[in-house]
Amino acid sequence: MAGLVDYAADSGSEEETGNAVNEELQLHLKGTSRSIEDMKSNMKLNIRPEVTSKNEHDKKFLIDPTSKQLSYNPKYEQLFAPVVGPENPFKSRQQKATKNTLSGFVEEAHISDFQFDNQRKTFHSYGYAVDPSEENATGEKIVGDQEKATSLKGVTVFEDTKARPGDKRRREEVGQPSDIESYKGPWAKFVDEAEVAKPSEEEQAILEKYEEAKQKKGKQEEEKIEEKTKLHIADAYDYQGRSYLHIPMDLGVNLLTDDPPEKCYLPKKRIHTWTGHSKGVAAVRLFPKSGHLLLSCSMDCKIKLWEVYNKRRCIRTFIGHGKAVRDICFNNDGTKFLSCGYDRWIKLWDTETGECLGRFSNNKVPYCVKFNPDEDKQNLFITGMADKKMITWDIRENEIVQEYDRHLGAVNTITFVDQNKRIVTTSDDKSIRIWEWDIPVDTKYIADPGMHSMPSVSLSPNQKWLACQSMDNQIVIYSVLNKFRQNRKKVFKGHMNAGYACQVNFSPDMNYLISGDADGKLNIWDWKSTKLYCKFKAHDDVCIGCEWLPHETSKIVTCGWDGLIKLWD
């Protein structure tokens, strides 16, 4: 108001607008007790905005949590304050801290790599080093062996010290290069170098004692091995004098034909359980061609022969291995079979009498064993060993006739393909090798960074496909005709077998593919569409083996680590 009054007084009476404003102000202020002059003297104009004091402003600091450099020294409470919003009362002090790793905040320290290695090697060599703490900035404080540090005057491994006896060995005279015959050059021997590696008398006595103890131990192990057999049935021979190896003809199923069933179906229920093994069953094998007998090997060191039809009894038990039996294999007519175990022995048995016909060993653990399927080579069998080799034995001479040693890991499976002219092997080295029979050089090597170990392989009934149980929870298929290559379109998934050598098998009509898994389930896939048709609980522990009866439409035999063998239909 005072400003308006001044403005009206300066403008003069000549301007109408100024006079009107002046009159209105005079009328408005006439009733007040104070004059305009008093108001002008008391009124003041403050143009400065209200601001906080400097002291209060200094108490608050805004710290960017992503910054890596600070221009002042913040307090502990400021560094551990919440980034945005109120503080979380449920977080611990460690959780509130800024981190770039799980355990805290890590930054690269500005330290010389040479000095770090110098002190580390000095401590390992001499037993002392300079104290790395901040208080010891001058480097005078020593940690470790104080006496040795004093005697060596705190030198490091990179500083010159007095030569110790034996630090440097003297060489013989090198000679002149012009003298060709006597010039030794860098090949000159040391003065104190011994040229004879013959052990001393004391060392020779120790070696002789060791060899004697080793031979005694080997003899004791051989003496302990004794093959036994036990017959569990009274009617081992029928009225015509035929043993249980004779194929029965009164079952309603023709077991003599080579033709598979026209169509197979999925099993729905368990119809029988064979019990007799006290530990897990490692493998089951059906009698060749007919499948009327079942052979099983177990971790209880025993092998048992069972009836598949009629009363389904346990016929005979074979005892002769000192440790768990890993694999078994029939010959072509089923009169003999081979067994291999972790006791490093491979044994040949007579299926009818239970007699042990031969023992074979090279002091290595055999992982798999197979007869040569050719009729004229039934005296030969091949084994995959833990020492990365495959060995062919002759039963008649009890000697090794061939050795294949190209694998880089333990050999897991051996499969005969191409009319038994070639063999396919898989190993722990995650590779597949194809060999010509009796030629110890692989003709093809299959390996890929994405491949896994394949501890179980099965050949299809039509001899065209090879199903391999891969350790990445899937079954891959390889073609064995002409070029050996993988069929990328056929991959069977849906089961969990990683870490277990679960057996894979085919149905007789090639419509289904079956396999056990680590959960004790039996999985059945459709061969054409690779769809998982059926999956059910077969065993309480790992379902390690499965076999489809060759003349039945829906009967499957499974075995597991629960010690049971089951028949499904």
Side-chain angles (χ1 to χ4, degrees), residues 239 303 363 473 548 551:
Y239 67 98
I303 306 167
N363 292 324
N473 297 328
W548 200 303
H551 301 287

Side-chain angles (χ1 to χ4, degrees), residues 427-467:
S427 170
D428 284 345
D429 59 5
K430 302 179 183 179
S431 69
I432 301 176
R433 294 178 189 261
I434 296 91
W435 317 70
E436 296 287 342
W437 172 253
D438 211 22
I439 298 177
V441 180
D442 49 336
T443 59
K444 189 167 185 178
Y445 170 71
I446 301 174
D448 186 80
M451 283 180 61
H452 289 70
S453 177
M454 299 176 184
S456 178
V457 174
S458 181
L459 184 65
S460 65
N462 57 8
Q463 310 288 318
K464 293 182 180 180
W465 306 99
L466 207 64

Side-chain angles (χ1 to χ4, degrees), residues 268-315:
K268 295 183 178 180
K269 63 179 181 178
R270 176 177 56 85
I271 59 176
H272 188 73
T273 301
W274 288 283
T275 59
H277 287 293
S278 58
K279 293 184 180 180
V281 181
V284 289
R285 298 288 183 267
L286 291 172
F287 197 82
K289 296 182 181 179
S290 64
H292 73 287
L293 296 178
L294 178 69
L295 191 68
S296 66
C297 63
S298 172
M299 300 176 190
D300 60 2
C301 313
K302 297 179 182 178
I303 306 167
K304 290 182 178 290
L305 187 67
W306 314 80
E307 286 180 337
V308 177
Y309 298 97
N310 297 326
K311 298 180 181 180
R312 300 192 174 102
R313 300 168 295 177
C314 178
I315 299 176

Side-chain angles (χ1 to χ4, degrees), residues 112-299:
S112 172
D113 293 338
F114 170 74
Q115 292 296 339
F116 180 82
D117 289 338
N118 186 13
Q119 296 300 327
R120 180 177 62 84
K121 293 178 180 179
T122 301
F123 186 82
H124 285 297
S125 299
Y126 298 152
Y128 65 87
V130 177
D131 189 358
S133 60
E134 296 180 0
E135 293 79 5
N136 187 31
T138 59
E140 297 177 354
K141 191 176 179 181
I142 300 293
V143 294
D145 193 347
Q146 299 288 342
E147 296 179 357
K148 197 166 187 179
T150 305
S151 62
L152 295 177
K153 298 180 181 180
V155 296
T156 63
V157 292
F158 289 96
E159 299 179 32
D160 291 335
T161 57
K162 292 183 179 180
R164 296 172 294 181
D167 281 353
K168 189 173 182 180
R169 302 171 64 187
R170 293 180 58 252
R171 287 185 179 272
E172 297 177 352
E173 293 184 3
V174 177
Q176 296 296 329
S178 58
D179 188 0
I180 300 176
E181 295 181 357
S182 61
Y183 177 67
K184 299 178 181 178
W187 302 277
K189 298 179 181 179
F190 292 103
V191 175
D192 57 345
E193 184 176 352
E195 298 182 0
V196 181
K198 183 179 180 180
S200 61
E201 295 181 359
E202 296 179 357
E203 294 175 345
Q204 184 65 30
I206 295 173
L207 290 174
E208 289 177 358
K209 288 182 180 179
Y210 174 75
E211 290 294 333
E212 290 177 1
K214 187 176 179 181
Q215 291 177 2
K216 288 181 180 179
K217 185 178 179 181
K219 290 180 180 179
Q220 289 176 359
E221 289 181 355
E222 290 184 2
E223 291 174 358
K224 290 180 182 178
I225 298 173
E226 182 180 356
E227 292 79 14
K228 301 178 184 178
T229 183
K230 185 177 181 180
L231 185 65
H232 300 283
I233 57 175
D235 51 344
Y237 300 92
D238 59 6
Y239 67 98
Q240 292 185 356
R242 298 174 299 188
S243 68
Y244 47 78
L245 298 185
H246 176 69
I247 301 174
M249 307 293 293
D250 56 345
L251 301 175
V253 180
N254 186 6
L255 301 181
L256 298 176
T257 180
D258 294 333
D259 298 330
E262 294 182 0
K263 183 173 177 57
C264 292
Y265 303 92
L266 300 178
K268 295 183 178 180
K269 63 179 181 178
R270 176 177 56 85
I271 59 176
H272 188 73
T273 301
W274 288 283
T275 59
H277 287 293
S278 58
K279 293 184 180 180
V281 181
V284 289
R285 298 288 183 267
L286 291 172
F287 197 82
K289 296 182 181 179
S290 64
H292 73 287
L293 296 178
L294 178 69
L295 191 68
S296 66
C297 63
S298 172
M299 300 176 190

Side-chain angles (χ1 to χ4, degrees), residues 6 10 13 29 34 56 67 102 188 248 266 310 329 367 376 387 409 421 425 431 467 482 514:
D6 293 338
D10 294 335
S13 59
L29 297 173
R34 294 183 300 173
E56 295 179 356
S67 64
L102 290 175
L266 300 178
N310 297 326
C329 178
Y367 276 9
D376 58 342
D387 61 345
K421 297 177 182 177
T425 60
S431 69
N482 300 325
I514 60 175

